[in-house]
Amino acid sequence: MLSRIVRCGSISQLFRRSRMPPIIGIIRSLGRSLHRMSQATSSSTPPEIPARSRGLTKLDSARYKLEASPLFQVASQGNFRSLVPADLHAPQEVDSGWKAAFESIVETLRQSREANSLLGPDGRTSIELITKLGTLGLWGCSADRSELAESTSAAPIPRRACHWSEFFPLLTRLATIAKPVAGLASIHHTIGTLRAVDSFGTPDQRRRFLPRLTSGETLSAMAMTEPAAGSDLSAIRTTAVRQGEFLVISGEKCFITSLAHGRIATLIARESDRLIAAILPIPAHDSAELSLSTYALHPLKHSYNQGLWLREFRLPLKDVLPTENRSGLSVAYYGLNYGRVAVSSLAAGYLRSLLADMLPWSRHRKTFGQAIALRPLVKHRMARVASLLVACDALVQYCGGLHDSEYRVELEAIVAKVFATEAVKEAAIDLALKTHGGRALLVGHPVGDSLHDYLASTIYEGEGDLLCLSLGRSLAAAILVPRLEIPSPANSEKNPEETGDRLLEIWRRDFVKLLAADRTPWEGSQVQLVRLARRFMQLTAARLTLLKAAKSECEITRLAGELFAETLFAAELRETESRELIARSEQLADLIVATGWHALRDTQPAAMMFSYANA
Ligand SMILES: Cc1cc2nc3c(=O)[nH]c(=O)nc-3n(C[C@H](O)[C@H](O)[C@H](O)COP(=O)(O)OP(=O)(O)OC[C@H]3O[C@@H](n4cnc5c(N)ncnc54)[C@H](O)[C@@H]3O)c2cc1C
């Protein structure tokens, strides 16, 4: 059963229990509250960012329900303009006091890159750098530290958590400067034990673990995957057996990023018929009961990714995270709703580096008597990377706002993650690799050296097609919600936002057709369901990118955002890109080459390889 393999939250449970007609009955009762919500979210007053709630309270809140998700409502109503809360997407003046600390973090990382001291002698992120970034607040900024003792750091670090709409753009900047550091922060703050303890931990667990986790003395990881359980987490075999005040744990984990001696992991294990989540401090050395296993892996060369063996390891019961009557996987899924946005934030940084490296090279490289930067084909590629970058930024910004407003952000995070990681794959392989030519494959070239990292992001935290199946399944439920009467604005072919809604309506019709032919497309019609989910993802990206473009004061951002949406609409309408559209994409590339772009401010273009200076 797919429901065991990919999770769709409460809606998947609904599907499991009943077939279509009961769903309609149940969902009908949601109508009135959905209507109230749609009115609330379409108001023009920016919503207040509520205080952060702790995990379990939040899991039970009305806003955390999947049906409350803005994208669930969009699919249900077939209308973007009334239902994607544009005000959440607007750049908000959200300064939680972390602004100065974040600038110091970025500056420290930049200096370390310039001094060539990002890596330690073992080729991994330098311990001194991790410690220094800890004193500046990097490892604790997303956690509520109000009950912790005063920090000894000289820098003024706020004790309350930063907003997610501040944290995700920080990750993008870190990824632009130093991918491995950004990767560590991404895991630690989202799927790692910091998030688990901060959101679900008991007062005792917070007291014992938060000081280490927030200072960066101990970075953290998530140990979920096993040799026989990757996409299908119901197949987890690591067992936990109660013995007095302990759980005796046996099993094997693999592919665990950031797992190393002295760090902490959140462990998912099976205790009789349910899965639990527990805090597992990894000792400084291997023992007969707990050891790490290593293997050669192409990506993440400068980070740890290891396996874990547990043989009758005794874990104190007090280190199990409380989930009441829920599965321990709730802790993992909760983290993944942040983690997938974090992965998209990293992707936005990778796109910046890819574009920045194309610029000097294409100006420098002459073929047939002309710099390749002057060729329409190459300009088109640069413009495409710029458009993808703006689209990723728009999705990240949107998801950050939704997290700050305590939505569930499951569907939205899937859309952002799949879109952004595939944008990186396209930019790296179809655009950057071709533009750099043979040099891209020289050892030491930034594109070739990172190819495996770019590809790996399409797999970890959920492989793209499987996530689209999960998304498609939730969209199927949304489509079965009776439509509310939301008036559509008058149709005008010229307005791209209206084109977006028209295409959404066509998408909805196609989805209804699929559901009429196959009531369980997640089992029988997977290919069609994934295609439909991808179309929804693209339309969502277009809508948000247009919003971002409209609000931007930067001409390049505006042009890149509009081009992204219009190119996508042309593809959806099966039209070839117009001459006018192609001319605008060349104009965009010329602008970036001639004036530079604020979005690329943290980049450091790589040294030219085999420069052929006299060519
Ligand atoms: C670099 C890297 C870092 C990672 N970091 C972590 C980490 O920190 N912590 C952690 O716990 N895990 C981690 N992982 C594991 C990662 O989450 C899994 O690799 C991922 O979830 C996919 O699982 P799998 O590789 O076992 O693929 P499988 O489950 O073997 O699936 C292979 C493919 O089969 C297809 N497939 C599977 N089921 C279905 C279905 N029902 N219908 C249709 N097609 C299907 C899909 O295309 C799927 O991708 C990491 C992996 C990598 C590569």
Side-chain angles (χ1 to χ4, degrees):
M1 262 283 276
L2 188 66
S3 56
R4 292 215 192 115
I5 298 160
V6 286
R7 173 175 172 275
C8 300
S10 50
I11 287 300
S12 63
Q13 286 154 16
L14 243 154
F15 271 118
R16 236 176 279 146
R17 282 198 293 268
S18 60
R19 292 290 179 184
M20 296 293 170
I23 292 172
I24 294 174
I26 294 164
I27 290 176
R28 216 164 250 155
S29 67
L30 296 169
R32 270 194 300 278
S33 56
L34 278 177
H35 187 54
R36 275 199 303 276
M37 262 181 277
S38 69
Q39 285 179 329
T41 52
S42 59
S43 122
S44 59
T45 329
E48 278 201 6
I49 295 174
R52 304 275 300 284
S53 65
R54 295 271 154 82
L56 281 171
T57 322
K58 190 167 156 188
L59 291 188
D60 289 331
S61 71
R63 203 166 252 216
Y64 200 76
K65 293 203 183 318
L66 196 69
E67 307 85 53
S69 140
L71 286 190
F72 186 94
Q73 294 178 49
V74 165
S76 150
Q77 303 307 317
N79 186 316
F80 274 117
R81 274 166 298 167
S82 323
L83 291 164
V84 168
D87 41 10
L88 277 179
H89 179 269
Q92 300 174 45
E93 274 310 306
V94 283
D95 184 6
S96 54
W98 278 95
K99 223 173 192 164
F102 284 1
E103 283 306 321
S104 307
I105 289 167
V106 168
E107 192 45 41
T108 300
L109 210 53
R110 231 191 251 133
Q111 283 170 10
S112 179
R113 175 179 65 186
E114 265 155 40
N116 212 9
S117 60
L118 290 170
L119 303 177
D122 61 353
R124 302 216 161 84
T125 301
S126 120
I127 305 289
E128 290 74 29
L129 180 61
I130 291 176
T131 308
K132 169 83 179 148
L133 293 171
T135 64
L136 299 173
L138 176 60
W139 310 114
C141 60
S142 76
D144 174 12
R145 297 158 57 253
S146 46
E147 80 260 37
L148 302 187
E150 200 61 64
S151 154
T152 51
S153 151
I157 301 173
R159 309 177 108 219
R160 62 188 169 174
C162 66
H163 295 303
W164 292 101
S165 46
E166 299 169 296
F167 177 73
F168 292 129
L170 171 72
L171 272 188
T172 297
R173 298 192 70 185
L174 301 186
T176 312
I177 302 170
K179 284 202 271 312
V181 173
L184 287 177
S186 161
I187 291 196
H188 181 67
H189 285 277
T190 64
I191 59 171
T193 318
L194 175 70
R195 178 84 290 104
V197 173
D198 185 43
S199 303
F200 293 89
T202 61
D204 169 62
Q205 288 167 345
R206 292 176 66 80
R207 188 181 49 72
R208 285 187 294 123
F209 292 106
L210 271 188
R212 282 190 266 167
L213 287 165
T214 56
S215 67
E217 180 192 330
T218 325
L219 296 182
S220 64
M222 162 57 83
M224 211 162 24
T225 303
E226 300 180 359
S231 315
D232 181 2
L233 293 171
S234 68
I236 284 179
R237 289 184 195 159
T238 297
T239 53
V241 179
R242 265 172 214 250
Q243 260 184 29
E245 290 301 298
F246 291 89
L247 281 175
V248 178
I249 312 229
S250 299
E252 183 187 3
K253 298 285 174 185
C254 58
F255 278 128
I256 313 306
T257 308
S258 202
L259 183 76
H261 290 119
R263 292 190 180 171
I264 295 187
T266 305
L267 178 80
I268 306 290
R270 181 172 299 287
E271 189 199 5
S272 50
D273 60 346
R274 73 179 204 120
L275 291 170
I276 54 146
I279 304 164
L280 175 68
I282 309 293
H285 304 285
D286 284 349
S287 65
E289 292 77 34
L290 187 156
S291 57
L292 302 186
S293 55
T294 55
Y295 34 79
L297 191 71
H298 285 297
L300 304 176
K301 286 205 171 54
H302 305 302
S303 309
Y304 289 99
N305 183 291
Q306 310 202 67
L308 170 69
W309 273 104
L310 296 149
R311 302 173 203 85
E312 303 200 352
F313 177 84
R314 286 162 70 80
L315 183 132
L317 265 180
K318 63 181 182 180
D319 289 348
V320 175
L321 287 154
T323 52
E324 294 176 353
N325 53 356
R326 295 167 186 270
S327 159
L329 280 182
S330 315
V331 174
Y333 291 140
Y334 183 90
L336 280 168
N337 291 342
Y338 294 95
R340 289 174 180 149
V341 185
V343 171
S344 320
S345 314
L346 302 190
Y350 302 163
L351 288 171
R352 281 163 165 78
S353 302
L354 285 165
L355 179 57
D357 284 333
M358 285 164 91
L359 299 178
W361 164 251
S362 56
R363 275 193 305 251
H364 165 84
R365 182 61 167 157
K366 287 195 179 72
T367 65
F368 308 101
Q370 225 180 37
I372 60 172
L374 299 174
R375 305 290 185 183
L377 197 61
V378 174
K379 288 185 192 184
H380 194 260
R381 288 185 196 143
M382 292 192 280
R384 176 71 179 157
V385 183
S387 307
L388 291 170
L389 189 164
V390 174
C392 285
D393 281 355
L395 285 162
V396 166
Q397 195 177 342
Y398 181 58
C399 291
L402 292 180
H403 268 306
D404 285 337
S405 300
E406 306 271 297
Y407 281 95
R408 181 189 190 100
V409 204
E410 180 173 320
L411 305 186
E412 294 79 3
I414 290 178
V415 165
K417 196 266 178 183
V418 178
F419 180 88
T421 54
E422 297 195 355
V424 167
K425 187 176 72 180
E426 179 189 338
I429 293 174
D430 293 339
L431 308 169
L433 186 70
K434 289 174 183 169
T435 302
H436 288 282
R439 284 164 184 75
L441 297 172
L442 287 170
V443 172
H445 192 282
V447 174
D449 281 1
S450 300
L451 276 184
H452 286 105
D453 288 293
Y454 296 148
L455 296 178
S457 68
T458 65
I459 304 291
Y460 55 67
E461 302 202 21
E463 183 270 317
D465 276 354
L466 277 193
L467 288 180
C468 282
L469 272 183
S470 172
L471 173 67
R473 192 169 173 156
S474 297
L475 295 175
I479 280 179
L480 292 169
V481 176
R483 285 220 218 188
L484 307 169
E485 287 311 312
I486 293 174
S488 284
N491 202 12
S492 143
E493 295 292 314
K494 293 227 168 73
N495 183 338
E497 293 201 357
E498 283 159 23
T499 311
D501 269 347
R502 205 152 49 83
L503 288 170
L504 186 67
E505 195 54 55
I506 297 171
W507 169 85
R508 216 174 173 284
R509 224 179 39 215
D510 291 348
F511 210 133
V512 169
K513 264 194 229 158
L514 174 69
L515 289 177
D518 183 356
R519 293 197 312 170
T520 53
W522 44 91
E523 281 163 5
S525 310
Q526 292 190 334
V527 175
Q528 293 96 313
L529 189 65
V530 166
R531 287 204 179 122
L532 280 163
R534 283 180 181 279
R535 269 168 69 191
F536 182 81
M537 169 184 90
Q538 296 284 359
L539 290 175
T540 303
R543 157 70 178 162
L544 293 172
T545 309
L546 277 174
L547 271 174
K548 185 172 177 68
K551 286 175 197 296
S552 175
E553 285 170 10
C554 162
E555 192 187 348
I556 293 177
T557 304
R558 254 199 330 269
L559 192 50
E562 287 165 9
L563 275 173
F564 171 76
E566 289 174 38
T567 306
L568 197 145
F569 291 158
E572 275 284 307
L573 293 165
R574 292 179 179 72
E575 291 169 354
T576 47
E577 284 169 71
S578 66
R579 275 172 173 275
E580 190 258 334
L581 203 57
I582 291 172
R584 277 164 63 213
S585 101
E586 289 179 23
Q587 184 199 343
L588 171 63
D590 287 342
L591 258 177
I592 298 173
V593 171
T595 65
W597 187 16
H598 179 68
L600 305 183
R601 69 191 188 281
D602 295 317
T603 60
Q604 184 193 49
M608 218 75 74
M609 302 185 83
F610 287 151
S611 72
Y612 293 115
N614 301 322

